[in-house]
Amino acid sequence: MATNLLEDYPWVQTPLIVGAPMRLISLASLAVEISKAGGLGFLASAEDQRNLQAHLEEALKLLQGTSLSTANNTLPIGIGFLNWGADLSIALPLIQRYRPAAIWLFGPRTVEDLTQWTRKAREATGRATKVWVQIGSVVEALKVCKACEPDVLVVQGADAGGHGLAQSASIVPGVPEVDDALSAARNEGSLAAVPLIIAAGGIADGRGVAAAMALGAQGAVLGTRYLAAEEAVIAKGYRQEVIRVSDGGQTTLRTSLYDRLRGTTSWPPQYNARGILNMSYWDGVGGMAFEENERLYREAMNAGDDGWGPEGRMTTYVGANVGLVTKVQSAKEITEEVRQQAKDVIRRLYA
Amino acid sequence: MATNLLEDYPWVQTPLIVGAPMRLISLASLAVEISKAGGLGFLASAEDQRNLQAHLEEALKLLQGTSLSTANNTLPIGIGFLNWGADLSIALPLIQRYRPAAIWLFGPRTVEDLTQWTRKAREATGRATKVWVQIGSVVEALKVCKACEPDVLVVQGADAGGHGLAQSASIVPGVPEVDDALSAARNEGSLAAVPLIIAAGGIADGRGVAAAMALGAQGAVLGTRYLAAEEAVIAKGYRQEVIRVSDGGQTTLRTSLYDRLRGTTSWPPQYNARGILNMSYWDGVGGMAFEENERLYREAMNAGDDGWGPEGRMTTYVGANVGLVTKVQSAKEITEEVRQQAKDVIRRLYA
């Protein structure tokens, strides 16, 4: 299992720290720095893959002269796709040409969409590019694994920031139950192979990473923590909120309101997103007409960094773990610090 | 830290497994069997403490002839109180007389209520009875610790079954952030002492226990898993649902509907409860008038065990980890199996 990942990604160190592909935020520099620090960075493709080739070219340039050796001659970063908006005919030539270490599929309209992407991507690179699929429930895990046999299943829990299933458990029950269900399916013969499981949602430091491993995951995804990375492409006002806000169980919520205010209405209906409760939210629950709320949101967009903050209206997607993110650091520092802390936690537990 | 707990409760074995005080379900037999297996069982007091003395007498009888030695000559089980309904003048003489190893306070109307219970209980037993307080957010943790300096803080995450804060993070961010916030408050001098942290919510087996320890907890509470204990006082129909239902992120939800249908309307407004989605729920979201839903609920109450199940209406409070509970076992088997699995997980992680 861990062996398998290390064979595919010979530069990674354990425990494996993965940088979430955050739309418009996780671009070449963040992804490359995470991989250079012994993790696996993902470059987020926008839903329509605009500029994806330019970002891949930038990643190539940033990787020049580094010592990241890759098995199968792949690019030592992954690409995340939002399947509901992604166009395979645009993605495929880029996958074939740049040979990312992984593609991470999420948010398809149908499971058949995943099957097609998986098959085509595997053909395009002779299976050098590994297929990761993100799910949020046990039923979804079984359906996806039977349909397309991904190499890696990302099990996302309810604490996750940004988009995910509107209803889900955290990784505490989620990872073990998915693990058990996949093993049972394989033993019954209804599943040919069990993918690696990587946990996502609520993990911000080495304690979370060690917990994810205890639950049965072979690695952990960090999203919110990397919002505070120097390399994240993020507005100053947004990042200040990531640092300022604590007690995410109280100060963030899963809702579809922010998507609606932003005019992002194409997500399949089972998804919504976790963000910081702001004036848009409070006015919404207070009964303000949507049109007025939308007008005020557009005004806030023109306020620059002042559009964020306690009195702000700008959407601030973060996980329920936002309170664990307290300073801006380089992606290298974050990755190395989290990995070392996870090792220390495991050593302390054993002692 | 763990040392401290082991001094107070010399019969417990690490990692510490705690049986949640589940109202009307965790009575003398379940609590005593958990403690006899090296855990710490809690006897649930009903909100009005009816029959509490009878349950304590039964526990005493069940403990006769066992070898559970206790420091401070306490009863080797705890008592859980629902503070919004509990009467200190009834509880106090019982605490003084039976000297439980711990009292677990939860759901007060005000933090002053906790302060008074803590002070009086400590006076009554010369601090032999340890005070545990359950919270669900970082703000609440700080407030409670400053107000009454509990010995143990139970940090409950969103996956928990039954009652808890309507809004909260899971233990994945919750436990580390509470831990950090309490340490910071102590270092600043605004908190005299930091309590032990015990994690609750979503933990059903040794993987969850090991994860809780990795997150910084010194023990783990199991509730839903003990619903399937032979000693739980639970209707057959309810227990069958606990065994049958899986994928709790999809099949359970936090709601106040079930309380309202049952006429349980005294919980402070910040709480609701997680239960299995049943016909009452679906009819409720489908627009059925509350009175009609209530009438059908009362009918279901007369159907005995048939009132539960896929077409049932009886309230079935469970955690999002219900899918990890797959068989009925004795409390002893559950406690020993979970503890051993936690040790195995930690050993595997280290290796």
Side-chain angles (χ1 to χ4, degrees), chain B residues 253 255 257-258 276-286 293:
Chain B
L253 197 83
T255 174
L257 175 67
Y258 299 138
I276 294 172
L277 299 176
N278 63 16
M279 288 311 291
S280 298
Y281 177 81
W282 295 117
D283 282 341
V285 294
N293 210 342

Side-chain angles (χ1 to χ4, degrees), chain B residues 22-37:
Chain B
M22 297 179 284
R23 178 177 172 277
L24 306 179
I25 293 172
S26 306
L27 300 181
S29 174
L30 181 58
V32 166
E33 285 303 309
I34 293 170
S35 285
K36 280 170 65 182

Side-chain angles (χ1 to χ4, degrees), chain A residues 1 136-140 158-159 165 167-177 179-180 201-203 205-208 210-217 245-250 252-253 274 281 320-324 345-351, chain B residues 1 136-140 158-159 165 167-177 179-180 201-203 205-208 210-217 245-250 252-253 274 281 320-324 345-351:
Chain A
M1 46 123 234
S137 76
V138 181
V139 165
E140 205 185 353
D159 295 300
L165 290 184
Q167 297 297 338
S168 64
S170 83
I171 60 170
V172 178
V175 165
E177 194 181 347
D179 199 2
D180 290 351
I203 304 164
D205 61 24
R207 294 170 288 190
M213 311 283 286
L215 294 165
V245 171
S246 61
D247 209 0
Q250 303 299 302
T252 72
L253 197 83
R274 183 181 289 278
Y281 177 80
N321 57 359
V322 64
L324 291 169
V345 166
I346 291 169
R347 200 172 304 118
R348 172 182 61 71
L349 271 186
Y350 183 72
Chain B
M1 46 124 234
S137 75
V138 180
V139 165
E140 204 184 354
D159 295 300
L165 290 184
Q167 296 298 337
S168 64
S170 84
I171 60 169
V172 178
V175 166
E177 194 181 347
D179 199 3
D180 289 351
I203 303 164
D205 62 23
R207 294 169 288 189
M213 311 284 285
L215 293 166
V245 171
S246 61
D247 208 1
Q250 302 299 303
T252 73
L253 197 83
R274 182 182 290 278
Y281 177 81
N321 56 359
V322 64
L324 291 169
V345 166
I346 291 168
R347 200 172 303 118
R348 172 182 60 70
L349 270 186
Y350 184 72

Side-chain angles (χ1 to χ4, degrees), chain A residues 230-247:
Chain A
E230 286 159 8
E231 296 84 353
V233 179
I234 185 171
K236 194 179 152 198
Y238 188 166
R239 183 143 59 194
Q240 279 172 341
E241 283 298 278
V242 173
I243 302 298
R244 181 186 68 81
V245 171
S246 61
D247 209 0

Side-chain angles (χ1 to χ4, degrees), chain A residues 109-286:
Chain A
R109 294 205 188 280
T110 64
V111 75
E112 289 72 29
D113 185 48
L114 297 176
T115 311
Q116 203 191 357
W117 274 68
T118 303
R119 197 179 59 238
K120 294 282 187 183
R122 284 175 170 161
E123 283 170 15
T125 68
R127 296 182 85 104
T129 292
K130 301 301 169 188
V131 178
W132 295 37
V133 178
Q134 177 182 332
I135 55 84
S137 76
V138 181
V139 165
E140 205 185 353
L142 286 166
K143 200 166 143 185
V144 161
C145 289
K146 288 176 187 179
C148 65
E149 296 183 9
D151 301 290
V152 171
L153 199 63
V154 179
V155 178
Q156 188 195 39
D159 295 300
H163 288 83
L165 290 184
Q167 297 297 338
S168 64
S170 83
I171 60 170
V172 178
V175 165
E177 194 181 347
V178 165
D179 199 2
D180 290 351
L182 295 180
S183 296
R186 187 193 44 197
N187 294 342
E188 284 162 23
S190 63
L191 195 63
V194 169
L196 297 180
I197 291 176
I198 304 281
I203 304 164
D205 61 24
R207 294 170 288 190
V209 172
M213 311 283 286
L215 294 165
Q218 276 104 32
V221 177
L222 274 66
T224 304
R225 178 73 181 265
Y226 284 121
L227 289 177
E230 286 159 8
E231 296 84 353
V233 179
I234 185 171
K236 194 179 152 198
Y238 188 166
R239 183 143 59 194
Q240 279 172 341
E241 283 298 278
V242 173
I243 302 298
R244 181 186 68 81
V245 171
S246 61
D247 209 0
Q250 303 299 302
T251 55
T252 72
L253 197 83
R254 302 203 71 89
T255 174
S256 62
L257 176 67
Y258 299 138
D259 270 348
R260 282 184 283 128
L261 288 171
R262 289 146 53 101
T264 311
T265 54
S266 299
W267 279 88
Q270 66 270 34
Y271 299 100
N272 66 8
R274 183 181 289 278
I276 295 172
L277 299 176
N278 63 17
M279 288 310 293
S280 298
Y281 177 80
W282 295 117
D283 283 340
V285 295

Side-chain angles (χ1 to χ4, degrees), chain A residues 264-331:
Chain A
T264 311
T265 54
S266 299
W267 279 88
Q270 66 270 34
Y271 299 100
N272 66 8
R274 183 181 289 278
I276 295 172
L277 299 176
N278 63 17
M279 288 310 293
S280 298
Y281 177 80
W282 295 117
D283 283 340
V285 295
M288 180 184 278
F290 180 75
E291 292 68 25
E292 174 64 1
N293 210 342
E294 204 176 19
R295 191 185 64 74
L296 292 170
Y297 173 77
R298 292 212 190 101
E299 268 184 29
M301 285 180 70
N302 295 324
D305 292 318
D306 295 338
W308 281 275
E311 303 297 314
R313 294 181 173 274
M314 294 300 288
T315 299
T316 319
Y317 287 141
V318 298
N321 57 359
V322 64
L324 291 169
V325 184
T326 57
K327 58 177 186 276
V328 176
Q329 292 171 285
S330 69

